[in-house]
Amino acid sequence: MGNWHPECPQRLDAINDQLLASGVMPFLEQQEAPLASQADILRVHTHEHLAYLRSHSPAAGYFAIDPDTIMNPHTIEAARAAAGSGIAAVDAIMAQKARTAFCAVRPPGHHARPDAAMGFCFFNNIAIAAAYALEKYQLERVAIIDFDVHHGNGTEEMFSEDPRVLMCSFFQHPFFPNICQGHPAENMVNIPVDAYTNGDALRLLASDIWLPRLEAFRPEFIFISAGFDAHREDDMGQLGMVEADYAWITEQVVQLAGHTAQGRVVSFLEGGYNLSALGRSAVAHIRALATL
Ligand SMILES: [Zn+2]
């Protein structure tokens, strides 16, 4: 999105570098992401959204949808691959070729609304995968966990009042995108928290508020919007998570998935802009996902 932009290609290099340095890489199987089809995208986005992106995609240089969310000639293809990774991960897990998957993708997705790109996001990767899993595999209950420092407003908009989906999230509030309804839908378990809330407090909130709802819901598949910008070294937000907190949350989700969802978990990279903290946190998360 331009050399100055925090949502930069080096983010994926930082994760790869830490996977290598930590010795985790040899235990993982890596796959290239296929492109999501138009039908996959249109389960959660409007025709108008797709048409807008296509008609404004620049042949060269950049087109700014808003000051933060900028297209270059390759953006649509990258966004289709980011969304396609979730489809491939769902298929691999349902075919029992894998138990869990981490989609190391960009651009991220959880701010993308049904009819608009925003907040560095063009297609809502996690929503596209969840909608695909519900339709293709006739699942009745899927859970979405979102621990990015920002509210996953796009995902919430897509599944609000959908009884097949339970979404649990915490996020700094008040904060971008500032679309936090006072009374969200019954299936939205939102925990808005003040700036400078630390990892211990967030663990307690997750234990007290998320886990009982998730246990009662008995999801058949769990999706994670894994943003690492709630890390205390990440200047994009002011929360106090550290690597051990990401590992702990992931362990809780994996354990729950083992009880109710045959272990099925797909996680998507969302935010995380301090490259060192991002790499270390993603590896802690992936280690727990892979139960290494
Ligand atoms: Zn974020």
Side-chain angles (χ1 to χ4, degrees):
M1 294 200 235
N3 288 337
W4 57 275
H5 203 289
E7 205 293 276
C8 61
Q10 291 76 19
R11 298 178 63 227
L12 296 184
D13 298 337
I15 294 173
N16 267 329
D17 289 351
Q18 274 298 321
L19 283 171
L20 283 168
S22 63
V24 169
M25 192 71 103
F27 298 97
L28 307 177
E29 186 187 319
Q30 292 200 60
Q31 288 185 21
E32 288 294 314
L35 300 183
S37 70
Q38 178 166 311
D40 292 331
I41 293 165
L42 291 178
R43 281 193 194 90
V44 298
H45 288 286
T46 60
H47 282 279
E48 290 73 16
H49 176 54
L50 207 49
Y52 176 88
L53 293 182
R54 283 186 179 142
S55 63
H56 291 81
S57 179
Y62 296 100
F63 174 78
I65 295 173
D66 64 41
D68 295 330
T69 312
I70 300 158
M71 278 200 288
N72 70 34
H74 309 289
T75 297
I76 292 181
E77 190 177 354
R80 283 182 64 197
S85 73
I87 305 272
V90 167
D91 282 340
I93 287 171
M94 293 307 288
Q96 299 187 332
K97 291 180 187 154
R99 252 168 84 87
T100 61
F102 179 69
C103 301
V105 293
R106 41 183 301 277
H110 74 154
H111 295 305
R113 305 179 61 195
D115 58 356
M118 62 174 278
F120 316 165
C121 302
F122 300 88
F123 296 137
N124 195 314
N125 306 321
I126 195 168
I128 287 169
Y132 174 79
L134 286 165
E135 186 179 309
K136 170 92 186 277
Y137 296 102
Q138 298 286 300
L139 299 181
E140 292 176 355
R141 294 176 310 284
V142 305
I144 294 177
I145 315 286
D146 188 327
F147 54 68
D148 192 274
V149 77
H150 303 100
H151 177 211
N153 61 293
T155 318
E156 172 165 327
E157 196 173 339
M158 285 160 177
F159 294 120
S160 211
E161 310 287 1
D162 185 335
R164 301 171 303 169
V165 178
L166 181 74
M167 181 170 172
C168 294
S169 66
F170 60 68
F171 46 87
Q172 184 175 329
H173 182 75
F175 199 44
F176 180 89
N178 272 321
I179 310 173
C180 177
Q181 299 156 4
H183 300 284
E186 177 60 22
N187 64 324
M188 294 291 148
V189 185
N190 287 347
I191 312 178
V193 296
D194 293 333
Y196 308 109
T197 304
N198 66 20
D200 287 342
L202 290 165
R203 288 192 200 198
L204 211 57
L205 290 166
S207 291
D208 289 353
I209 300 172
W210 286 0
L211 294 179
R213 285 292 299 273
L214 287 162
E215 291 280 0
F217 185 67
R218 301 194 61 75
E220 299 164 292
F221 207 119
I222 303 182
F223 296 90
I224 304 177
S225 265
F228 299 101
D229 42 9
H231 196 284
R232 72 176 174 201
E233 291 168 32
D234 198 309
D235 293 335
M236 190 69 82
Q238 286 82 41
L239 295 187
M241 295 273 284
V242 295
E243 294 89 304
D245 299 314
Y246 290 111
W248 180 86
I249 281 196
T250 311
E251 284 159 12
Q252 307 309 305
V253 173
V254 166
Q255 237 169 55
L256 179 86
H259 296 153
T260 76
Q262 299 177 41
R264 300 162 180 155
V265 183
V266 175
S267 174
F268 295 83
L269 178 64
E270 299 281 3
Y273 304 98
N274 176 304
L275 296 180
S276 170
L278 168 63
R280 287 164 8 233
S281 303
V283 169
H285 174 61
I286 291 166
R287 235 183 227 285
L289 268 184
T291 58
L292 292 175

